[in-house]
């Protein structure tokens, strides 16, 4: 399951540089996460780094993009060429 940034985002700019897959980009009003690139940091870290640094707790799992840990690991391998 990828993550999503809710409208509680305050555009503090701390999440974007933390994403190892470059899945986070500025949107029209708030930051957005590309579900094709988000692996919840599986393959890179033990926990999603954007969630770790977010000061307002606005990055939950995206119910529209449900994936297992195995699927996220496969996505990680595809993204990193492994």
């Amino acid at each position: 399951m990828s993550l999503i940034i809710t409208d509680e985002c305050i555009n503090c700019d701390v999440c974007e540089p933390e994403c190892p897959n470059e899945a986070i980009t500025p949107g029209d009003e708030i930051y957005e996460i590309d579900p094709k690139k988000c692996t919840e940091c599986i393959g890179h870290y033990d926990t999603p780094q954007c969630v770790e640094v977010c000061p307002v707790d606005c990055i939950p799992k995206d119910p529209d993009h449900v994936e297992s840990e195995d699927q996220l690991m496969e996505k990680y391998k595809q993204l990193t060429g492994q």
Side-chain angles (χ1 to χ4, degrees):
M1 179 176 291
S2 68
L3 302 171
I4 188 170
I5 297 175
T6 67
D7 60 3
E8 292 149 0
C9 174
I10 59 171
N11 288 315
C12 66
D13 302 320
V14 298
C15 61
E16 183 183 18
E18 295 300 318
C19 182
N21 296 323
E22 298 179 352
I24 301 173
T25 56
D28 291 336
E29 294 186 30
I30 60 172
Y31 277 87
E32 298 176 350
I33 297 177
D34 181 346
K36 294 177 185 165
K37 292 182 176 181
C38 180
T39 63
E40 291 187 49
C41 290
I42 286 180
H44 295 283
Y45 301 102
D46 292 335
T47 59
Q49 297 303 287
C50 59
V51 174
E52 293 290 322
V53 299
C54 181
V56 292
D57 192 28
C58 67
I59 310 175
K61 292 180 183 270
D62 184 352
D64 293 334
H65 295 95
V66 177
E67 297 169 290
S68 68
E69 281 195 33
D70 289 339
Q71 290 171 310
L72 292 170
M73 181 56 82
E74 282 303 311
K75 189 190 308 185
Y76 160 77
K77 289 177 182 177
Q78 290 175 355
L79 290 169
T80 59
Q82 294 187 21

